[in-house]
Amino acid sequence: MMSRQLTFRRFASHYAPSKFLNEAAYKSNKQLGEQFMQQYETKVHHSEKITNTWKKLTYLVALPAILLTSIPVGKVELEHAHHRQHTRHLSDEEWPQQYDYQNIRSKPFFWGNGDQTLFWNTDVNRHVQKD
Protein backbone atom coordinates (compact mmCIF):
# COMPACT_ATOMS: atom_id res chain seq x y z
CA MET A 1 0.00 0.00 0.00
CA MET A 2 2.85 2.34 0.77
CA SER A 3 4.42 1.90 -2.67
CA ARG A 4 1.22 3.04 -4.42
CA GLN A 5 1.17 6.30 -2.50
CA LEU A 6 4.78 6.98 -3.43
CA THR A 7 4.01 6.25 -7.07
CA PHE A 8 1.05 8.63 -7.09
CA ARG A 9 3.08 11.36 -5.42
CA ARG A 10 5.96 10.81 -7.80
CA PHE A 11 3.75 11.29 -10.90
CA ALA A 12 1.61 14.07 -9.39
CA SER A 13 3.55 16.71 -11.35
CA HIS A 14 2.28 15.26 -14.64
CA TYR A 15 -1.40 15.85 -14.06
CA ALA A 16 -1.62 18.67 -11.49
CA PRO A 17 -0.37 22.26 -11.75
CA SER A 18 2.62 23.20 -9.69
CA LYS A 19 1.96 24.61 -6.24
CA PHE A 20 4.44 27.40 -7.06
CA LEU A 21 2.22 28.94 -9.76
CA ASN A 22 0.44 31.91 -8.25
CA GLU A 23 -0.48 33.91 -11.34
CA ALA A 24 -1.44 33.23 -14.95
CA ALA A 25 1.36 32.68 -17.44
CA TYR A 26 -0.27 35.00 -19.99
CA LYS A 27 -1.93 38.34 -19.32
CA SER A 28 -4.44 39.33 -21.99
CA ASN A 29 -4.23 42.62 -23.85
CA LYS A 30 -7.56 43.62 -25.41
CA GLN A 31 -6.04 46.12 -27.84
CA LEU A 32 -3.54 43.58 -29.22
CA GLY A 33 -6.31 40.98 -29.47
CA GLU A 34 -8.50 43.33 -31.53
CA GLN A 35 -5.53 44.26 -33.72
CA PHE A 36 -4.81 40.57 -34.33
CA MET A 37 -8.43 39.85 -35.25
CA GLN A 38 -8.47 42.80 -37.67
CA GLN A 39 -5.28 41.59 -39.38
CA TYR A 40 -6.66 38.06 -39.53
CA GLU A 41 -9.92 39.21 -41.17
CA THR A 42 -7.91 41.27 -43.67
CA LYS A 43 -5.84 38.23 -44.60
CA VAL A 44 -8.96 36.07 -44.95
CA HIS A 45 -10.60 38.66 -47.22
CA HIS A 46 -7.43 38.94 -49.33
CA SER A 47 -7.13 35.15 -49.56
CA GLU A 48 -10.72 34.84 -50.76
CA LYS A 49 -10.10 37.44 -53.49
CA ILE A 50 -6.90 35.71 -54.67
CA THR A 51 -8.59 32.30 -54.61
CA ASN A 52 -11.47 33.59 -56.73
CA THR A 53 -9.01 35.17 -59.17
CA TRP A 54 -7.14 31.88 -59.64
CA LYS A 55 -10.39 29.96 -60.06
CA LYS A 56 -11.47 32.37 -62.79
CA LEU A 57 -8.07 32.07 -64.50
CA THR A 58 -8.27 28.30 -64.35
CA TYR A 59 -11.76 28.02 -65.80
CA LEU A 60 -11.58 30.88 -68.31
CA VAL A 61 -7.95 30.65 -69.52
CA ALA A 62 -6.25 27.37 -68.62
CA LEU A 63 -9.00 24.87 -69.46
CA PRO A 64 -9.85 26.42 -72.85
CA ALA A 65 -6.12 26.57 -73.69
CA ILE A 66 -5.74 22.89 -72.83
CA LEU A 67 -8.77 21.96 -74.92
CA LEU A 68 -7.60 24.05 -77.90
CA THR A 69 -4.14 22.49 -77.89
CA SER A 70 -5.44 18.95 -77.39
CA ILE A 71 -7.37 19.03 -80.68
CA PRO A 72 -4.36 19.29 -83.05
CA VAL A 73 -2.28 16.99 -80.85
CA GLY A 74 -5.08 14.41 -80.96
CA LYS A 75 -5.16 14.61 -84.76
CA VAL A 76 -1.39 14.02 -84.98
CA GLU A 77 -1.61 11.07 -82.60
CA LEU A 78 -4.41 9.53 -84.67
CA GLU A 79 -2.19 9.81 -87.75
CA HIS A 80 0.62 8.07 -85.85
CA ALA A 81 -1.74 5.29 -84.81
CA HIS A 82 -2.82 4.84 -88.44
CA HIS A 83 0.84 4.70 -89.52
CA ARG A 84 1.64 2.10 -86.83
CA GLN A 85 -1.07 -0.17 -88.24
CA HIS A 86 0.85 -0.22 -91.55
CA THR A 87 4.22 -0.98 -89.93
CA ARG A 88 2.87 -3.72 -87.65
CA HIS A 89 3.24 -6.44 -90.30
CA LEU A 90 6.87 -5.58 -91.22
CA SER A 91 9.50 -8.22 -90.54
CA ASP A 92 12.74 -7.47 -88.69
CA GLU A 93 14.65 -7.17 -91.97
CA GLU A 94 12.20 -4.58 -93.30
CA TRP A 95 12.10 -2.63 -90.05
CA PRO A 96 13.79 0.81 -90.26
CA GLN A 97 17.50 0.96 -89.39
CA GLN A 98 18.39 1.07 -85.74
CA TYR A 99 21.28 3.23 -84.70
CA ASP A 100 23.98 2.49 -82.11
CA TYR A 101 22.36 4.72 -79.49
CA GLN A 102 19.04 2.87 -79.63
CA ASN A 103 18.16 -0.06 -77.34
CA ILE A 104 21.41 -0.09 -75.39
CA ARG A 105 21.44 -3.00 -72.93
CA SER A 106 24.35 -3.17 -70.48
CA LYS A 107 22.72 -6.19 -68.84
CA PRO A 108 19.44 -8.01 -69.51
CA PHE A 109 16.27 -7.07 -67.67
CA PHE A 110 15.33 -9.53 -64.95
CA TRP A 111 11.77 -10.02 -66.28
CA GLY A 112 10.46 -11.64 -69.44
CA ASN A 113 13.03 -12.56 -72.04
CA GLY A 114 15.52 -9.97 -70.72
CA ASP A 115 15.32 -7.81 -73.84
CA GLN A 116 11.95 -6.10 -73.53
CA THR A 117 11.47 -3.07 -71.30
CA LEU A 118 8.69 -2.98 -68.75
CA PHE A 119 6.41 -0.94 -71.07
CA TRP A 120 7.20 -2.79 -74.28
CA ASN A 121 4.76 -2.30 -77.16
CA THR A 122 5.31 -4.67 -80.06
CA ASP A 123 3.68 -2.25 -82.53
CA VAL A 124 6.21 0.48 -81.79
CA ASN A 125 9.22 -1.17 -80.16
CA ARG A 126 11.57 -3.59 -81.84
CA HIS A 127 15.05 -4.60 -80.88
CA VAL A 128 16.49 -5.79 -84.14
CA GLN A 129 20.00 -7.17 -83.73
CA LYS A 130 21.88 -7.35 -87.00
CA ASP A 131 25.29 -8.94 -86.75
Side-chain angles (χ1 to χ4, degrees):
M1 188 71 164
M2 183 71 153
S3 65
R4 277 193 196 165
Q5 289 176 350
L6 290 176
T7 304
F8 287 140
R9 264 191 239 142
R10 184 175 52 179
F11 292 115
S13 63
H14 294 290
Y15 62 86
S18 173
K19 60 184 175 183
F20 299 111
L21 290 177
N22 297 326
E23 59 185 47
Y26 174 76
K27 295 177 184 171
S28 63
N29 185 340
K30 189 173 182 180
Q31 182 182 3
L32 286 175
E34 290 174 358
Q35 183 182 359
F36 173 79
M37 289 305 295
Q38 184 181 9
Q39 289 176 351
Y40 179 76
E41 289 172 0
T42 304
K43 287 179 185 176
V44 168
H45 180 68
H46 177 71
S47 299
E48 288 174 352
K49 285 175 48 178
I50 293 296
T51 301
N52 289 334
T53 302
W54 279 105
K55 282 183 181 179
K56 288 176 186 174
L57 279 171
T58 299
Y59 294 128
L60 299 176
V61 176
L63 289 179
I66 290 170
L67 290 173
L68 288 174
T69 56
S70 66
I71 293 170
V73 170
K75 288 181 180 179
V76 170
E77 287 299 319
L78 287 174
E79 290 175 8
H80 282 291
H82 184 69
H83 177 71
R84 277 194 302 263
Q85 287 178 353
H86 293 295
T87 60
R88 182 181 297 164
H89 71 279
L90 294 176
S91 66
D92 286 348
E93 290 79 27
E94 297 172 323
W95 193 256
Q97 177 185 359
Q98 291 195 348
Y99 297 98
D100 293 336
Y101 58 85
Q102 293 176 319
N103 296 313
I104 297 173
R105 308 277 193 271
S106 58
K107 62 181 182 177
F109 295 113
F110 61 88
W111 58 81
N113 64 0
D115 185 46
Q116 297 179 349
T117 63
L118 193 59
F119 301 102
W120 190 266
N121 181 353
T122 54
D123 293 344
V124 180
N125 304 112
R126 296 259 181 110
H127 188 188
V128 180
Q129 296 176 337
K130 295 181 182 177
D131 295 325

